[in-house]
Amino acid sequence: MTQWLTGWQYRKSCSIKGSTAGAVTDYQIKVIVHYGSGTDSGEHVYLNGKCRTDFGDIRFTDSDGVILLSYWMEEKVDGDYAVFWVKVPSIPASPNTKTIYIYYNNSSATYVGNGEDTFLCFDDFEAGNLNKWILRTGGSSYIQLETAKPLQGAYSVRLAEPVNDDYHAFMYEPVERDNIAIHARAYIDARVDAGKASLYARGNGTYCDAKPKIVGPCYYAALFARDGLIGIWKGIETNDEVQLRAITETISLDTEYELEFRLYGTGLRFLVNGVLKIEIDDSTYTSGYNGLHVAESETIFDEVYIRKYVEPEPSHGAWGAEERAPIAYSKTLMDSLSLSDSFHKKATQYRTLSDSLKLTEVFHRKATYKRFFSDSLTLSEAFAKTTAYYLSLIHISEPTRPLYI
């Protein structure tokens, strides 16, 4: 049997199916945990009311059942559901699978997830600084921590071009990456003409040479409030930005949107509130910096993370049946003569032996058995057993005589 995580009463296994794109390492997998009852399927698992209502006792382990995996809780509704991201150390290529475990039912456990340990890059801005990012502004544009209207916690970040002077504001992680998905929550606080709020990807961190106020080589996936568009644009070093593809959709101010921009090879995918809106191929840029961008807008961002991404992604296979922690027991053996419920036996034997010996055997035995059962949420059994054994042999030389007892 696989080892068990001490202190947790229940678990379920989850089979993760590998991607045809090949084996991956440290890949982020989404798991949606439901407090109540239901049928486990895909990324959804139901814990039948056996976890904490705040989901603080949820843990994930590797296939050995005890090595804890890095995880982060993205959102939750107490007593209903919680969305987790789990970093899985290795997932083989299709058709092979990887097994992980979800543990629950530990009333004393509290949430210990960490976004920085889970993703390639993570910032919820609760550190109260922007040290992870390179900031690019000019003219009226600025980037600063937001405390008046944080989307969660005490801090978010505001990117703003409050005056229409065409100076885009953008920020990026100073690590070049490819085959990633960048995620953020965005809230357009004010539209200044265009009102673009976007995710910046595969950029080189510069402004355009031809129009030095406009973002340079990159892709950005944007909400375009003025024109009611959702689309993907391409910044070009020697020219203005180019719209690659867009669809018409009303973009509301003072509304929070969840944005995710996925880039794999030449494929560009833009999701808004979990729905795929734009899908296009372009081979101009294959790697670069990733972050946030605005144009003629004041937008608040939060929960920015960058994760690994391949197409197709590894996917959830079957969930295992609920397993209960093994029954724990302890056993103690000790020498003792003062025990209750004792049994005493003494026998003396004299028998004729060829070497004319008198054998005296004293057998003294006392035994106590104590059994204790306790039943809280589940049955745990403690069994204590003590025995005492004393044996004495006394050899005395004596003439041969008949055996009697």
Side-chain angles (χ1 to χ4, degrees):
M1 180 179 179
T2 306
Q3 299 178 76
W4 197 275
L5 189 63
T6 302
W8 273 260
Q9 297 302 313
Y10 294 98
R11 76 180 183 186
K12 290 185 179 183
S13 63
C14 176
S15 176
I16 300 172
K17 297 187 290 187
S19 169
T20 55
V24 293
T25 59
D26 293 336
Y27 201 88
Q28 294 78 25
I29 295 292
K30 181 189 283 189
V31 179
I32 301 176
V33 178
H34 298 267
Y35 180 80
S37 301
T39 302
D40 301 335
S41 178
E43 61 191 16
H44 298 270
V45 60
Y46 296 81
L47 304 187
N48 304 307
K50 294 177 182 176
C51 66
R52 288 173 54 119
T53 56
D54 64 358
F55 302 95
D57 58 342
I58 301 300
R59 297 292 187 274
F60 300 90
T61 72
D62 208 341
S63 54
D64 66 352
V66 292
I67 296 179
L68 291 167
L69 303 182
S70 298
Y71 74 104
W72 175 69
M73 186 193 297
E74 182 169 17
E75 65 177 281
K76 67 167 180 169
V77 176
D78 285 353
D80 189 358
Y81 75 93
V83 178
F84 291 91
W85 285 95
V86 185
K87 184 169 74 173
V88 181
S90 63
I91 303 173
S94 176
N96 296 316
T97 61
K98 168 74 173 184
T99 297
I100 64 172
Y101 288 93
I102 179 173
Y103 280 85
Y104 50 102
N105 196 269
N106 183 336
S107 60
S108 63
T110 56
Y111 175 67
V112 294
N114 187 298
E116 292 186 355
D117 293 338
T118 305
F119 297 103
L120 296 171
C121 178
F122 174 86
D123 206 343
D124 59 4
F125 307 101
E126 293 308 299
N129 62 63
L130 299 173
N131 295 344
K132 296 178 181 179
W133 308 94
I134 302 296
L135 312 182
R136 299 301 307 272
T137 60
S140 68
S141 66
Y142 65 88
I143 300 173
Q144 66 182 31
L145 288 171
E146 176 68 24
T147 57
K149 294 182 177 181
L151 301 188
Q152 59 83 39
Y155 297 96
S156 294
V157 64
R158 179 184 288 262
L159 280 72
E161 183 189 342
V163 176
N164 185 9
D165 57 10
D166 284 335
Y167 254 117
H168 295 192
F170 64 103
M171 56 187 275
Y172 58 89
E173 180 206 15
V175 178
E176 293 192 33
R177 303 186 188 277
D178 60 0
N179 298 334
I180 57 94
I182 178 170
H183 167 281
R185 297 186 182 277
Y187 178 95
I188 302 176
D189 192 36
R191 178 177 72 81
V192 182
D193 196 17
K196 280 185 180 178
S198 53
L199 301 178
Y200 173 90
R202 293 184 180 173
N204 70 357
T206 68
Y207 283 100
C208 175
D209 285 346
K211 294 187 176 182
K213 299 178 182 181
I214 295 175
V215 69
C218 71
Y219 296 114
Y220 66 85
L223 304 178
F224 194 168
R226 183 192 65 197
D227 294 354
L229 297 175
I230 294 174
I232 297 176
W233 281 258
K234 176 169 63 175
I236 301 175
E237 187 171 9
T238 58
N239 202 341
D240 203 343
E241 58 200 351
V242 175
Q243 176 184 299
L244 295 178
R245 180 170 294 174
I247 61 172
T248 301
E249 190 164 317
T250 300
I251 306 300
S252 302
L253 303 184
D254 301 328
T255 300
E256 183 177 319
Y257 291 89
E258 181 180 6
L259 311 179
E260 185 171 75
F261 192 12
R262 300 175 177 177
L263 304 96
Y264 179 69
T266 61
L268 311 177
R269 316 285 183 258
F270 186 31
L271 291 80
V272 178
N273 295 334
V275 178
L276 179 63
K277 297 292 186 178
I278 303 292
E279 186 173 11
I280 192 171
D281 289 312
D282 189 272
S283 60
T284 306
Y285 310 123
T286 59
S287 178
Y289 302 126
N290 306 280
L292 308 174
H293 164 265
V294 300
E296 301 168 14
S297 171
E298 291 198 39
T299 301
I300 301 168
F301 293 92
D302 212 327
E303 289 188 353
V304 182
Y305 58 77
I306 299 172
R307 65 181 181 90
K308 291 189 174 183
Y309 180 73
V310 297
E311 289 183 359
E313 290 202 83
S315 59
H316 287 273
W319 287 90
E322 184 177 83
E323 301 176 46
R324 190 174 65 181
I327 296 174
Y329 71 92
S330 62
K331 183 177 181 181
T332 304
L333 296 176
M334 59 186 295
D335 291 328
S336 174
L337 292 179
S338 56
L339 302 172
S340 60
D341 298 329
S342 62
F343 169 73
H344 180 86
K345 179 181 180 182
K346 181 176 181 180
T348 304
Q349 294 180 332
Y350 298 91
R351 64 182 65 185
T352 302
L353 302 174
S354 60
D355 54 358
S356 300
L357 294 178
K358 182 183 79 172
L359 174 63
T360 302
E361 180 183 23
V362 179
F363 178 71
H364 181 158
R365 181 175 182 182
K366 294 184 178 182
T368 299
Y369 296 86
K370 179 181 179 183
R371 186 176 182 94
F372 171 74
F373 292 89
S374 65
D375 191 0
S376 53
L377 294 177
T378 62
L379 177 61
S380 61
E381 180 182 24
F383 177 62
K385 179 180 179 183
T386 62
T387 63
Y389 176 78
Y390 171 76
L391 178 65
S392 174
L393 293 176
I394 303 175
H395 301 273
I396 303 175
S397 178
E398 184 176 338
T400 303
R401 63 180 60 185
L403 172 67
Y404 69 91
I405 298 178

